[in-house]
Amino acid sequence: MVVDYYLVSASRRAYRLKIDRPYIFGREEGVDIVLQDALVSRRHAEMRWQSQHACWVLTDLKSRNGVLANNQRVSEPTRIDDGCQIQIGGQVYRMHLLPPGGDPGSLGNQAPQISTLETMGPGFNLADLSSQGATFTGEVTGGLLDLLQFFQTTAKSGRLDLVGTNSATAVNSVWMDKGTPIHASTGALNGMDALVAIATNPPPRFAFHADVVVSSQRTLQGSAAGILMEVARIMDEGTK
C-alpha cells in the first residue's frame, strides 16, 4: 500500500517526507527544513524513517529549547503518527498521511492552528470541499478498494465522500470506524450493494472528513479485510 507522508506547518506549507532519507530541522543554511526562528538551534531536530516499525521517528539533536510532540517534551527518539503535532521552537507542524491520488494542497485546511472538521451536506458541490473543511481531498487513481485499503492501514474514522462529474450534488459515501467500513450509501442503495456499485464505477474525486459522528447505521458487517475481499469477489463474478 502506497502512503504519502506530509508535515503541514502553521503557515499552511506542506512538506512531503520521503522514507529513503532523513530530514534535519534548524537555522543552519543547508539543513532540510530551515526555520528562521531565534528559538531554534542551528541543527535542532531530525525526522527519520524507521523501517523495522514502518514509522517516522523524531529526535531532539541536543537543542537549546527542546522539541515537543503532542505537547510532550521529546527526551528520546519518539514515534510520529498520523495527526501528531510537533513543535520546534515557535514553529508548529502536524503529520498527515495521504492515500494514492491525495491532493496535498487540500492539507492547508488542516494547518495546526486550525480545527475545521465540518461535513459536506446537501447543497454543496465539489468546488466547496476545501472551504468546507474536508480533512483531505484528491483523485481516485487506483479505484475504491485501494482507497479503502489505505483507511484500513491507517485505522482512520470518518466519512469518505466520492463525487462524480455528472451532478454537482451527487455524493456517494462510505463511513468508517477505525479503518473498517460500517455503512455505505449511493442513491437508493445501502450497505454491500452500495459499496459494490461505487467500487464498480468509482467517481473521479474524493473528500475525506475525519472525526465526523460515526454513522448510527451499520449496513456492513465484518472486518475491513473481509469486507474488501467480499467486494472484490462480487466484482470478479460480475465480470465473468
Side-chain angles (χ1 to χ4, degrees):
M1 168 55 57
V2 176
V3 177
D4 290 335
Y5 301 89
Y6 286 87
L7 274 183
V8 180
S9 72
S11 61
R12 300 192 175 195
R13 180 173 180 179
Y15 298 87
R16 184 181 179 188
L17 303 180
K18 299 180 179 180
I19 64 174
D20 58 353
R21 51 161 296 185
Y23 291 83
I24 303 293
F25 300 76
R27 287 189 297 106
E28 182 177 272
E29 185 177 349
V31 300
D32 302 288
I33 300 179
V34 179
L35 306 178
Q36 299 299 332
D37 186 324
L39 298 176
V40 174
S41 300
R42 294 175 62 189
R43 295 173 66 86
H44 196 110
E46 179 189 70
M47 287 275 290
R48 182 182 292 270
W49 179 256
Q50 194 174 77
S51 58
Q52 61 266 41
H53 299 297
C55 69
W56 288 95
V57 171
L58 176 66
T59 302
D60 184 355
L61 299 178
K62 299 181 180 179
S63 64
R64 294 191 312 273
N65 296 304
V67 179
L68 299 179
N70 287 335
N71 297 317
Q72 299 295 316
R73 184 72 176 254
V74 171
S75 58
E76 58 185 25
T78 299
R79 177 174 177 144
I80 302 299
D81 292 315
D82 187 33
C84 182
Q85 185 163 298
I86 299 168
Q87 183 171 344
I88 299 174
Q91 310 302 309
V92 181
Y93 302 86
R94 182 170 291 143
M95 173 70 84
H96 288 281
L97 277 59
L98 280 183
D103 176 14
S106 65
L107 292 175
N109 294 316
Q110 301 303 311
Q113 80 277 26
I114 297 174
S115 180
T116 52
L117 295 175
E118 302 164 40
T119 61
M120 188 170 76
F124 295 146
N125 56 44
L126 186 58
D128 293 323
L129 288 174
S130 293
S131 63
Q132 294 301 322
T135 307
F136 53 77
T137 65
E139 297 181 359
V140 181
T141 59
L144 178 64
L145 293 183
D146 276 3
L147 270 177
L148 294 182
Q149 282 187 334
F150 166 81
F151 291 110
Q152 176 190 2
T153 300
T154 56
K156 288 182 178 293
S157 296
R159 191 187 72 235
L160 177 67
D161 291 331
L162 298 107
V163 186
T165 56
N166 58 332
S167 171
T169 58
V171 178
N172 314 271
S173 298
V174 182
W175 282 259
M176 282 163 291
D177 184 11
K178 297 179 181 178
T180 299
I182 60 172
H183 176 54
S185 175
T186 178
L189 299 177
N190 290 294
M192 186 60 69
D193 290 341
L195 202 58
V196 171
I198 299 170
T200 301
N201 187 25
R205 297 281 300 174
F206 70 84
F208 179 68
H209 299 266
D211 299 328
V212 301
V213 176
V214 175
S215 175
S216 59
Q217 299 187 68
R218 292 185 175 256
T219 56
L220 296 167
Q221 304 296 328
S223 66
I227 291 170
L228 297 187
M229 289 179 62
E230 180 65 8
V231 172
R233 183 190 67 79
I234 294 173
M235 292 175 65
D236 285 344
E237 290 183 350
T239 59
K240 294 179 180 178

